[in-house]
Amino acid sequence: MLTRRGWDAIVSIVSAVIAIALVFLFPPAGTARTVIALGAIGLFVLGYALIGRDAIEPPRAAWRYPAFLSVAAVAAGVGAGAAPFMAMLQTLAYPLVWVIGDSRRRGVGGSAVIAASVFVGASFGYGPTVDSLLAGGTTAVFSLSFAIAIGLWIARIAEYGEERERLLAELTAAQSEVEALSRERGASAERERLARDIHDTLAQTLAGLVIFAERAGRQSREGQTDAAAATIATVEQVARDALAESRALVARTAAVPGEPAFGAAVERLVARFREHGTTRIALDADAVAGELDREAQVVLLRCLQEALSNVTKHAAAANVAVRVEVGADGAAALLVSDDGRGFDPSQGSTGFGLEGMSGRVALAGGTLDVSSTPGRGTTVTVRLPGSTESGADAAEAATAGPVALAPGQPVATDLPTKGAPA
């Protein structure tokens, strides 16, 4: 929609063109009629400047529409009565009536008033003859029909534009809401990630410190000086590990061993649990044939750490078998099987460990399976997909059975390649 300045330019230019054409191209019969016609143009421009201009844009005073319509109707009727060419004044009157009226009903009604005024002026300006009545009626009917058709079309376009503007505002608000929700979801995901990292690193290490400190105190009270000294040395080493882990968390990096070879990182983690506990741990890492990206390494090492920690704290197992596989395509599998007391998986878990493992594996696009029977041990299987994992491999992974150690059974180092179901 045009602004006030746009309508100022249109009214000024069109009025000047009508006046010039009236004087030089289509002059009426007699100077008096020319003066009256020019006066009608001046009345129309004055009515626009004093009344109609301020009603172009909202807010609109209620009195301005009927006042401007009255002035425009008088100017158009008087002008058409003075000179037939003054019917051109309708080209300004009709659109302004629609704009200032700001509704279909007012636009149609105002157009009818302007058309009636032009009909009366054109019909009676030179005498009410049959020809003048016919000419005035024809002009009024065609101009009114055209004005209403164009007015309704423009009104529909304006409403469509307003509707699009409303929808755009709603879409913008919806996008802002989605952005806010995304930020909240990202913050929540980051909190969950930090919780998992703290649980898998500092919490595990501090729990180990408590165990070793209790052992050192007991050995000291029993007079086992050398054993107590060895345990204190272990406490010192674990404390150093906790310090390194905390620095890694502050730096927003995974607190896992930094060796370039994944197999070496696994061996170091297993060796740490061997030193800190009495459970025998057999490691089979011969099937590590490919390379893993950093994220996959973090997932497997965290899961292995959590599984071994659960065995140490809850399973009371004598033997643990660990198998790690990495295919050439990057697909990886981790299997941890113990001969401990086991548990009933259907009863759920109140701890954060298994839940954290499940969430971490799911984020990596993998699967976690926990198979356990009370009194018959537990098997934890983690599988991460590779870039070119085939459907046959996935089917075989889904049908392979878990490996568990019976109480007192020697640790096996030739665990099946596919482990428990994914």
Side-chain angles (χ1 to χ4, degrees):
M1 182 180 292
L2 291 175
T3 61
R4 289 192 181 98
R5 290 186 177 182
W7 279 109
D8 292 346
I10 291 176
V11 171
S12 299
I13 294 172
V14 174
S15 298
V17 170
I18 292 176
I20 293 173
L22 176 69
V23 173
F24 296 103
L25 300 178
F26 308 101
T31 305
R33 287 181 177 271
T34 301
V35 173
I36 294 174
L38 292 174
I41 296 175
L43 176 64
F44 184 89
V45 173
L46 186 64
Y48 166 78
L50 299 179
I51 302 174
R53 184 177 186 276
D54 289 338
I56 295 295
E57 299 174 356
R60 300 177 176 89
W63 63 272
R64 291 188 180 274
Y65 172 73
F68 176 76
L69 178 60
S70 301
V71 172
V74 171
V78 171
F85 180 73
M86 283 298 295
M88 291 294 296
L89 199 59
Q90 296 174 102
T91 58
L92 287 176
Y94 284 132
L96 282 172
V97 165
W98 278 87
V99 171
I100 296 174
D102 196 29
S103 70
R104 286 186 173 89
R105 183 175 59 84
R106 285 188 170 188
V108 173
S111 298
V113 171
I114 297 296
S117 177
V118 171
F119 169 74
V120 172
S123 300
F124 294 92
Y126 288 88
T129 63
V130 175
D131 292 339
S132 64
L133 291 174
L134 182 60
T138 303
T139 301
V141 169
F142 276 100
S143 62
L144 177 61
S145 300
F146 182 77
I148 292 176
I150 295 298
L152 293 175
W153 178 56
I154 293 177
R156 182 172 296 179
I157 292 177
E159 291 176 354
Y160 176 71
E162 292 175 357
E163 178 68 12
R164 289 193 62 183
E165 183 178 359
R166 183 186 65 82
L167 293 176
L168 180 60
E170 293 180 355
L171 178 60
T172 302
Q175 288 176 337
S176 300
E177 184 177 356
V178 170
E179 183 179 356
L181 292 175
S182 298
R183 287 196 298 268
E184 293 176 2
R185 180 60 183 270
S188 177
E190 181 65 12
R191 288 193 295 268
E192 293 178 1
R193 184 190 69 81
L194 288 176
R196 286 194 299 268
D197 285 345
I198 291 174
H199 175 272
D200 293 343
T201 56
L202 292 179
Q204 298 285 2
T205 305
L206 292 177
L209 282 174
V210 172
I211 294 174
F212 291 128
E214 292 175 349
R215 180 188 300 175
R218 184 174 63 256
Q219 292 170 340
S220 177
R221 289 190 299 270
E222 295 175 355
Q224 302 177 19
T225 307
D226 294 340
T231 304
I232 292 298
T234 302
V235 169
E236 180 182 355
Q237 181 59 43
V238 173
R240 293 182 184 277
D241 292 342
L243 178 61
E245 290 168 352
S246 63
R247 288 173 176 172
L249 286 176
V250 172
R252 293 189 177 182
T253 58
V256 296
E259 292 89 349
F262 173 65
V266 173
E267 291 176 0
R268 175 176 173 175
L269 183 59
V270 170
R272 174 177 166 182
F273 277 90
R274 284 172 177 164
E275 294 174 359
H276 297 169
T278 59
T279 304
R280 290 183 298 170
I281 304 176
L283 172 63
D284 180 5
D286 295 337
V288 178
E291 294 292 334
L292 282 178
D293 58 32
R294 180 66 173 175
E295 293 300 324
Q297 290 186 34
V298 170
V299 171
L300 291 183
L301 288 172
R302 287 285 180 265
C303 291
L304 176 58
Q305 181 180 13
E306 178 62 29
L308 293 178
S309 177
N310 287 339
V311 170
T312 302
K313 292 187 293 185
H314 308 298
N319 303 295
V320 179
V322 176
R323 182 178 179 85
V324 181
E325 303 173 7
V326 179
D329 61 350
L334 168 69
L335 186 144
V336 180
S337 182
D338 67 75
D339 59 356
R341 61 169 58 99
F343 66 98
D344 185 1
S346 63
Q347 299 299 321
S349 174
T350 59
F352 187 81
L354 291 179
E355 181 181 352
M357 290 173 62
S358 178
R360 187 184 295 275
V361 172
L363 289 176
T367 58
L368 169 69
D369 179 79
V370 179
S371 176
S372 182
T373 303
R376 301 189 62 182
T378 301
T379 299
V380 176
T381 307
V382 177
R383 294 193 178 279
L384 300 181
S387 57
T388 59
E389 185 176 16
S390 65
D393 290 339
E396 185 179 355
T399 57
V403 175
L405 297 177
Q409 178 182 347
V411 178
T413 58
D414 55 345
L415 295 175
T417 301
K418 292 301 176 180

